[in-house]
Amino acid sequence: MRDASEMNDKVNAETADRPAGHPAAVSGRIGVLIVNLGTPDATDYWSMRRYLKEFLSDRRVIETSRVIWWLILNLIILTVRPGRKGRDYDKIWNRERDESPLKTITRAQAEKLGEMLAPVDDRIMVDWAMRYGNPSLASRLDVLQRAGCDRILIVPLYPQYCAATSATVADKAFDALKTMRWQPAVRIAPPWHDDPVYIEAVAGALEAELAKLTFKPDQILASFHGIPRDYLLKGDPYYCQCHKTARLLGARLGLDDSKFMLTFQSRFGFAEWLQPYTAVTVKALAEGGMKKIDIVTPGLTADCVETLEEIAGENAEIFHHAGGKNFAAIPCLNDSEAGMAVIAHVVLRELKGWIGG
C-alpha cells in the first residue's frame, strides 16, 4: 500500500511533465461504484410518477411492443399506479432523512465499503448510485471520472444476474461513457449467486434471526423478485441462478424442500411470471394448516419496498387472514458486518490486476 504522500508525488510528477497551457487533469485513481435498483425522491404523486416512468420505460424491464406499452403506460399505469405505490412507500419512508430505506442503506454500504478499502489501496474511491432515480448512475460516473478515476469497477448489487437488473446497469453506464472524451476503463462485476462467502453470510444471518424469534417456523420461504416467464424462455439465467442459490442455502442450513422452499414475488401485469408465486404460496400454506413461517429474501442486498412493505406487510397480512399465526420477515444483509463482508469480497475479487500484486 502506498501512503498519501506517495500518491501526491506521483500526481505532481505527472503535472510537471505537461507542456505549458495543458488543461488541468487528474488521473491514477480507481473508482468503485455500487449501484442499486432505484428510489423515488418522495412519496407524492408526481415524484412517484417520474420514478415509475423512468423505470417502466426501460426496454430491459418491459419487453412488450413499444406502441402498445406506450399506450398502457401513459394512459393507464402512470395515472393510477403512482398514488398506490406512493402509499406503499409512505409506510416505510425514512422520516428522519426524508428518503427511502433503500437510499439510506445503499449510502451506508458505500461509506462502510470506502472505510474497508482505504487500507487496501489509497487510490480507491467508492461511490454509489441508483439505476432509476437519484443519485443517477451517469452523475456519479461523471464525479468519479472528474476525480481522476481512470479505472472504474461498477457493482450491480444483485447476487443473481438478470437482464432487467444487472444488464440495464451496464446499458446505462455505457450510455454515460459515450458522452466522455476521456473514458475510464470499466469493469462490470459479475453475479455472486453461488459464491461461498455470500451463501455463508445469508445462512448465518438467517440462523441469527431465527435464534431471536419466539417461535420455530414450520416452513421457510426464500422469496426472489419475479420476472415474466417469457424472459426465462428467451435465455435469461436468472431463474436458474435463483434455484442454485436456494439449493446451496438449503444444503448449508440442513433443510430439505419440505422446510425450505423457493418462491417468486412482485408480479406485475397479466403475463405469466416465474412460479411458484410468494403470495399464493403463503396463502395456501396458511389455509393448509401451517401456523408458523419465515420469509428470507436472498436476492436483495438491501431492505426496500419489496421487503418492508410487500413481504413484512402485505404477505404477513395474507398469512394471518388465511389462518396463520406467526410470521417473520428476515432482514436483508444490508450494511451489517456479514453484508459488508460479501460486498467487499466481490469488489476485491474483481479489482485483481488493478490493485495489489
Side-chain angles (χ1 to χ4, degrees), residues 208-237:
E209 290 297 323
L210 291 176
K212 299 176 186 177
L213 298 177
T214 58
F215 66 93
K216 182 178 180 180
D218 302 313
Q219 180 83 46
I220 300 174
L221 302 184
S223 182
F224 294 82
H225 199 290
I227 61 172
R229 184 172 180 273
D230 185 51
Y231 294 7
L232 163 65
L233 301 180
K234 291 178 179 178
D236 200 298

Side-chain angles (χ1 to χ4, degrees), residues 15 23 59 86 89 129 139 152 154 158 189 200 205 256 262 271 336 355:
T15 303
R59 296 192 180 193
Y89 271 95
S139 70
I152 299 177
I154 299 173
Y158 315 114
E200 180 59 35
D256 60 24
L262 177 150
S336 65
I355 63 171

Side-chain angles (χ1 to χ4, degrees), residues 39-57 78 82 132-134:
T39 175
D41 293 321
T43 63
D44 63 276
Y45 176 87
W46 291 107
S47 296
M48 289 303 310
R49 182 184 171 94
R50 283 193 301 273
Y51 170 68
L52 289 172
K53 184 172 185 178
E54 182 184 8
F55 176 42
L56 296 176
S57 295
L78 292 180
Y132 311 101
N134 295 303

Side-chain angles (χ1 to χ4, degrees), residues 36-39 89 92-94 99-107 109 130 157 205 209 223 265 295-313 328-336 343:
N36 225 315
L37 183 72
T39 175
Y89 271 95
I92 65 166
W93 203 248
N94 182 337
E99 63 187 23
S100 72
L102 183 65
K103 181 176 282 190
T104 303
I105 295 167
T106 308
R107 179 192 297 108
Q109 289 171 328
M130 296 290 171
L157 290 175
E209 290 297 323
S223 182
Q265 66 184 84
I295 300 184
V296 62
T297 49
L300 299 169
T301 54
D303 279 307
C304 55
V305 70
E306 281 81 10
T307 61
L308 300 174
E309 198 286 321
E310 183 180 354
I311 296 297
I330 306 300
C332 293
L333 291 176
N334 296 320
D335 62 333
S336 65
I343 297 175

